[in-house]
């Protein structure tokens, strides 16, 4: 495809665009494109942004990238299509929302997401999509759930991610289905835990691009004198212990010998990138190079100083650039032809990002040399293929990785990955894959070793909302359901009958989301009901969210609204403190709040209006359900909750004089 300005997409770039367009024309589910570092993802972002801008001229296209460099790079490529775009990125010093296509960082976009969502968003295109951070999830949730006057604005918004490394440390692959082959493959739970994207639509690896001369050829250098990293252990955050890292790398006698080898290997090299473990380690490495030919870049440097150093390296004023925890993404210096890894990487994704810095083509580059002096190739099992790590979700020690489960609908038996949360440690499970606890009922169960045993127990249950019990306030009561002992969502029925050459899909779902409108069963991650197409959301969250719309109440605004009725319920927290849960039915929807005696200016007025003396509230606490008098007005303040939904704090209540006087009498 040729744009008015003359740039042409490579065949694989066009194939990726076509795959994404075909998907979004039929489905709303988030999809993913896997393209190696250097494959030209920026051009694909530009082409997809142009497609959505043309398909929905009245709505915005939001293009997200994790760094200032990538935001600006993607915007530059989009400008080549002949169209204008805005950049909203604080670190770039630009905050503009005027254009239809907006390029932004996640942090900056989240700060003004109400304004963006209010304009209408047809698509969110995410670069470096493996960064499924809480910020990114909040941003997406805020856009998808945005309403104006009880109507969703962005319910048809598409989400497309692209990355060179579609996996995360600990949780495995970030997609549920691989649709890149002739047959769609579901990832088992040992490879992908709660993946964000539904399908991987297209894939081209660095190895394929190298073989087709779209990326630089690679040679793996010897790793003699490598650091011994066998003592490094991961902490609870999935990072190497900082003290152990410092002991392995800082002050190590091997450092000088490694640098001597690097200098020898780089005689005919143009640009050398060295990845150090710590700042002190980087400074030590730099001491073995001529100061006039070496630059140290760290995240602790001032942005201006860091940027000046990077630009000097790009114009080859320096031959060597030593960095700590930076320059792994969004860094483009095609002349780099030697990658030196002198740090241990916890994740395979990070190591792939590092070696990807040397893969871009350059007229004077014959090949890129990669020297790994920290045993990363062995750690990530890359001996046979430097570009293809072995990906597995992390299993906690002492726990079984798989359990055998019988489907209660079709009786098919299959192996599922056992849930490994600490709360379920030591619990047995029944033949249907549900946790069981001690009780009076006998059940056939299996221990963590998979051996059958007799268990005096009953199913472990949890409370979920039952949409069939929705009342006039929009609230639902709870029902008890068994807790699955595995991560699987649906029966894959490996023993299904074969008709017309195709397996019959069992309809049983181990975990599900029930549509509050038609009560149909849906996948736990579904956004819209498969039967009635209505948006799927917790009925209570949907009710509370009604009040959170721009034009009604803006984020940070305090506003007085009319209250028509209220429901009062006694509430005891997990810590044993008392409060009254109040559901206010207002002109902008329902607002839920919890009031205690500490909030005397709210709590006391509610109590007195209903004929109670504050001093006797504890004794009559349970009787608050009998309260009938609702305030005439309430004062509410809107903020953004941790889950991306609007959060409301009731700051005051006002009663009519006649309401209060009637109770006093």
């Amino acid at each position: 495809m040729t744009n008015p300005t003359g740039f042409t997409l490579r065949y694989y770039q066009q194939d990726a665009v076509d795959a994404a367009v075909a998907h979004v024309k039929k489905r709303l589910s988030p999809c993913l494109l896997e393209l190696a570092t250097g494959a030209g993802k920026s051009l694909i972002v530009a082409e997809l942004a142009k497609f959505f801008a043309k398909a929905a001229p009245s709505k915005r296209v939001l293009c997200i990238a994790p760094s200032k460099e990538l935001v600006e790079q993607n915007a530059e490529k989009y400008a080549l299509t002949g169209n204008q775009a805005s950049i909203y990125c604080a670190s770039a010093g630009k905050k503009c929302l005027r254009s239809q296509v907006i390029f932004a960082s996640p942090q900056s976009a989240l700060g003004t997401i109400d304004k963006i969502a209010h304009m209408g968003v047809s698509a969110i295109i995410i670069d470096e999509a493996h960064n499924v951070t809480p910020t990114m999830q909040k941003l997406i949730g805020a856009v998808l759930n945005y309403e104006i006057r009880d109507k969703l604005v962005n319910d048809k918004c598409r989400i497309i991610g692209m990355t060179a490394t579609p996996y995360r440390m600990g949780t495995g692959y970030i997609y549920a289905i691989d649709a890149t082959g002739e047959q769609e493959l579901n990832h088992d739970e040992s490879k992908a835990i709660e993946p964000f994207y539904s399908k991987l639509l297209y894939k081209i690896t660095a190895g394929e691009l190298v073989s087709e001369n779209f990326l630089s050829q690679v040679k793996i250098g010897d790793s003699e004198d490598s650091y011994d990293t066998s003592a490094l252990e991961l902490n609870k955050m999935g990072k190497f212990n900082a003290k152990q890292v410092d002991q392995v790398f800082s002050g190590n006698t091997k450092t000088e010998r490694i640098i001597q080898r690097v200098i020898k290997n780089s005689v005919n090299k143009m640009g050398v990138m060295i990845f150090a473990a710590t700042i002190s380690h980087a400074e030590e490495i730099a001491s073995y190079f001529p100061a006039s030919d070496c630059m140290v870049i760290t995240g602790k440097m001032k942005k201006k100083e860091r940027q000046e150093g990077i630009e000097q390296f790009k114009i080859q004023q320096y031959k060597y650039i030593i960095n700590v925890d930076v320059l792994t993404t969004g860094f483009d210096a095609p002349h780099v032809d030697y990658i030196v890894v002198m740090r241990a990487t916890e994740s395979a994704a990070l190591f792939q990002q590092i070696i990807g810095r040397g893969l871009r083509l350059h007229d004077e580059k014959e090949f890129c040399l990669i020297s790994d002096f920290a045993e990363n190739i062995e750690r990530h099992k890359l001996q046979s293929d430097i570009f293809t790590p072995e990906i597995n979700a992390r299993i906690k020690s002492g726990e079984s990785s798989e359990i055998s489960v019988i489907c209660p609908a079709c009786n098919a038996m299959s192996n599922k990955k056992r849930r490994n949360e600490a709360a379920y440690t030591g619990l047995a499970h029944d033949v249907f894959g549900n946790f069981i606890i001690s009780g009076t009922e006998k059940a056939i169960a299996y221990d963590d070793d998979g051996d059958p045993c007799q268990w005096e127990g009953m199913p472990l249950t949890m409370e979920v909302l039952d949409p069939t019990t929705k009342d006039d306030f929009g609230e639902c009561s709870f029902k008890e359901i068994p807790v699955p002992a595995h991560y699987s969502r649906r029966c894959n029925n490996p023993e299904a009958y074969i008709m017309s050459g195709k397996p019959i899909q069992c309809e049983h779902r181990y975990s599900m989301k029930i549509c509050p409108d038609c009560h149909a069963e849906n996948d736990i991650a579904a956004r819209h009901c498969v039967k009635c197409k209505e948006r799927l959301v917790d009925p209570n969250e949907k009710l509370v969210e009604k009040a959170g719309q721009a034009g009604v109440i803006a984020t940070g605004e305090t506003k007085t609204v009319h209250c028509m009725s209220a429901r009062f319920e006694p509430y005891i927290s997990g810590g044993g403190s008392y409060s009254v849960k109040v559901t206010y039915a207002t002109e902008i929807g329902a607002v839920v709040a919890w009031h205690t005696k500490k909030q005397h200016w709210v709590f006391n007025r509610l109590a007195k209006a209903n004929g109670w003396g504050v001093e006797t509230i504890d004794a009559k606490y349970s009787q608050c359900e009998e309260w009938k008098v609702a305030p005439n007005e309430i004062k509410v303040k809107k903020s953004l909750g941790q889950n991306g939904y609007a959060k409301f704090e009731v700051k005051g209540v006002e009663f009519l004089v006649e309401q209060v006087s009637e109770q006093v009498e």
Side-chain angles (χ1 to χ4, degrees):
M1 181 180 294
T2 302
N3 286 290
T5 53
F7 83 79
T8 303
L9 294 179
R10 294 171 176 173
Y11 82 88
Y12 63 84
Q13 294 169 333
Q14 187 63 59
D15 288 347
V17 171
D18 292 344
V21 170
H23 178 88
V24 300
K25 284 183 176 180
K26 296 180 179 180
R27 298 176 177 86
L28 290 170
S29 54
C31 59
L32 186 70
L33 305 173
E34 179 184 348
L35 300 115
T37 300
K41 290 190 291 293
S42 296
L43 292 178
I44 299 173
V45 171
E47 201 63 36
L48 288 173
K50 187 178 74 170
F51 165 78
F52 283 110
K54 184 179 180 180
S58 64
K59 293 194 173 185
R60 298 299 197 268
V61 181
L62 184 58
C63 303
I64 300 293
S67 67
K68 172 183 81 76
E69 291 78 13
L70 280 175
V71 169
E72 293 179 328
Q73 177 180 303
N74 291 343
E76 288 173 5
K77 292 298 190 293
Y78 182 75
L80 297 178
T81 67
N83 299 290
Q84 292 184 337
S86 295
I87 293 178
Y88 199 92
C89 178
S91 58
K94 301 174 183 177
K95 288 189 172 183
C96 178
L97 300 174
R98 288 194 297 269
S99 302
Q100 185 183 2
V101 177
I102 302 168
F103 292 86
S105 63
Q107 298 84 1
S108 296
L110 185 61
T112 189
I113 198 61
D114 276 358
K115 186 179 293 186
I116 296 174
H118 185 68
M119 294 186 287
V121 181
S122 63
I124 301 175
I125 303 172
I126 306 169
D127 197 0
E128 304 296 343
H130 55 277
N131 295 312
V132 189
T133 61
T135 297
M136 185 64 71
Q137 293 180 355
K138 289 179 185 178
L139 187 153
I140 293 172
V143 172
L144 297 181
N145 297 305
Y146 192 82
E147 295 178 354
I148 297 178
R149 299 182 181 89
D150 300 340
K151 185 178 180 181
L152 283 170
V153 178
N154 306 307
D155 58 329
K156 299 296 190 297
C157 176
R158 271 58 169 184
I159 300 170
I160 301 176
M162 46 193 87
T163 179
T165 53
Y167 36 80
R168 290 174 61 84
M169 189 169 61
T171 57
Y173 288 101
I174 59 175
Y175 58 87
I177 299 172
D178 186 348
T180 61
E182 294 183 1
Q183 183 180 2
E184 292 189 351
L185 300 175
N186 286 281
H187 276 290
D188 61 51
E189 291 79 15
S190 66
K191 299 287 187 180
I193 298 176
E194 299 181 354
F196 179 81
Y197 296 92
S198 64
K199 282 188 179 183
L200 177 67
L201 303 178
Y202 186 82
K203 175 171 64 177
I204 189 162
T205 65
E208 292 174 294
L209 294 177
V210 169
S211 65
E212 298 185 44
N213 296 318
F214 287 120
L215 292 179
S216 172
Q217 297 295 316
V218 171
K219 290 186 179 181
I220 309 300
D222 63 71
S223 55
E224 190 175 342
D225 291 321
S226 289
Y227 298 103
D228 181 4
T229 62
S230 59
L232 295 180
E233 298 177 349
L234 297 174
N235 58 25
K236 293 181 179 180
M237 301 300 293
K239 300 291 185 180
F240 287 133
N241 181 279
K243 185 177 180 180
Q244 292 177 345
V245 169
D246 192 62
Q247 290 174 343
V248 170
F249 294 99
S250 297
N252 195 309
T253 56
K254 292 183 178 181
T255 301
E256 184 176 4
R257 296 199 298 271
I258 291 172
I259 297 305
Q260 290 174 352
R261 185 175 298 276
V262 169
I263 293 174
K264 181 180 179 180
N265 291 339
S266 61
V267 170
N268 297 316
K269 296 298 183 182
M270 296 180 290
V272 183
M273 291 188 70
I274 302 174
F275 294 83
T278 65
I279 293 177
S280 62
H281 185 222
E283 292 172 347
E284 181 185 355
I285 293 170
S287 69
Y288 298 114
F289 290 104
S292 60
D293 210 15
C294 174
M295 167 65 73
V296 176
I297 301 292
T298 75
K300 300 289 186 181
M301 297 172 64
K302 293 181 179 180
K303 291 182 179 180
K304 184 179 180 180
E305 183 185 1
R306 184 168 69 241
Q307 193 59 42
E308 288 177 352
I310 292 172
E311 293 303 320
Q312 289 171 348
F313 176 75
K314 287 183 176 181
I315 63 175
Q316 301 185 45
Q317 186 173 335
Y318 298 98
K319 183 174 183 175
Y320 304 94
I321 187 167
I322 307 164
N323 81 96
V324 183
D325 292 332
V326 293
L327 308 185
T328 55
T329 60
F331 178 81
D332 187 4
H335 79 286
V336 171
D337 52 359
Y338 190 13
I339 299 292
V340 182
V341 189
M342 297 178 67
R343 58 157 296 179
T345 60
E346 298 91 341
S347 72
L350 178 57
F351 187 70
Q352 291 299 308
Q353 294 288 348
I354 287 174
I355 64 178
R357 300 308 103 197
L359 298 184
R360 298 185 185 276
L361 296 175
H362 188 277
D363 291 340
E364 301 178 26
K365 184 192 295 187
E366 183 182 359
F367 64 89
C368 179
L369 179 64
I370 297 174
S371 294
D372 173 28
F373 295 104
E375 302 179 322
N376 295 292
I377 292 176
E378 293 79 7
R379 184 178 301 107
H380 303 305
K381 298 178 175 59
L382 298 168
Q383 295 93 330
S384 59
D385 184 356
I386 189 70
F387 303 117
T388 309
E390 181 179 315
I391 303 299
N392 289 289
R394 190 185 302 147
I395 308 295
K396 290 185 179 180
S397 61
E399 298 210 355
S400 173
S401 61
E402 288 188 342
I403 61 175
S404 295
V405 174
I406 296 176
C407 174
C410 68
N411 294 319
M413 179 172 285
S414 57
N415 292 328
K416 309 292 185 183
K417 182 181 178 297
R418 190 187 193 277
R419 297 178 70 93
N420 56 19
E421 290 91 334
Y424 306 127
T425 302
L427 291 182
H429 61 275
D430 61 24
V431 294
F432 302 115
N434 299 316
F435 282 122
I436 53 178
I437 57 177
S438 60
T440 57
E441 300 178 8
K442 287 188 177 182
I444 301 174
Y446 297 88
D447 58 27
D448 284 349
D449 295 326
D451 298 323
C453 60
Q454 290 291 324
W455 187 272
E456 295 280 341
M458 58 194 308
L460 176 67
T461 61
M462 59 182 176
E463 287 188 337
V464 298
L465 290 171
D466 183 2
T468 63
T469 62
K470 186 164 53 176
D471 59 21
D472 294 339
F473 281 82
E475 290 192 332
C476 304
S477 59
F478 291 88
K479 65 178 181 180
E480 301 272 339
I481 63 170
V483 178
H486 54 86
Y487 291 107
S488 185
R489 299 174 178 177
R490 187 171 180 176
C491 174
N492 57 6
N493 201 350
E495 303 172 3
Y497 294 101
I498 303 296
M499 295 180 64
S500 304
K502 296 181 179 180
I504 299 176
Q505 176 69 58
C506 177
E507 296 297 321
H508 181 71
R509 297 183 186 274
Y510 297 105
S511 57
M512 71 191 75
K513 186 181 289 184
I514 299 177
C515 175
D517 294 296
C518 71
H519 306 151
E521 296 180 355
N522 293 267
D523 186 82
I524 193 67
R527 287 170 50 192
H528 293 78
C529 177
V530 295
K531 186 176 180 180
C532 69
K533 310 303 180 183
E534 289 294 317
R535 180 174 68 124
L536 297 174
V537 65
D538 184 317
N540 289 347
E541 287 183 341
K542 186 175 181 180
L543 188 68
V544 176
E545 177 66 6
K546 286 182 179 180
Q549 313 312 320
V552 179
I553 300 180
T555 301
E557 180 186 3
T558 300
K559 188 172 183 178
T560 299
V561 296
H562 177 63
C563 179
M564 296 167 285
S565 61
R567 172 192 293 163
F568 304 91
E569 302 171 73
Y571 185 84
I572 304 176
S573 70
S577 59
Y578 291 84
S579 62
V580 175
K581 178 186 175 183
V582 186
T583 304
Y584 300 95
T586 76
E587 60 184 305
I588 58 171
V591 176
V592 181
W594 286 261
H595 300 300
T596 68
K597 287 198 294 183
K598 294 181 180 180
Q599 301 168 303
H600 57 87
W601 42 279
V602 175
F603 184 90
N604 291 0
R605 290 182 70 87
L606 291 172
K608 290 180 178 179
N610 283 275
W612 284 23
V614 177
E615 68 279 356
T616 62
I617 188 66
D618 288 340
K620 300 181 179 180
Y621 189 80
S622 62
Q623 300 176 22
C624 72
E625 289 181 307
E626 302 173 3
W627 289 3
K628 302 298 183 183
V629 181
N632 182 60
E633 293 178 338
I634 64 172
K635 186 181 294 182
V636 296
K637 181 178 181 181
K638 178 190 172 185
S639 60
L640 196 63
Q642 293 183 351
N643 60 358
Y645 286 94
K647 178 182 178 182
F648 300 93
E649 181 183 0
V650 176
K651 307 292 290 184
V653 294
E654 294 293 335
F655 292 85
L656 297 175
V657 176
E658 55 266 29
Q659 291 179 299
V660 179
S661 61
E662 287 176 1
Q663 293 299 323
V664 172
E665 291 175 2

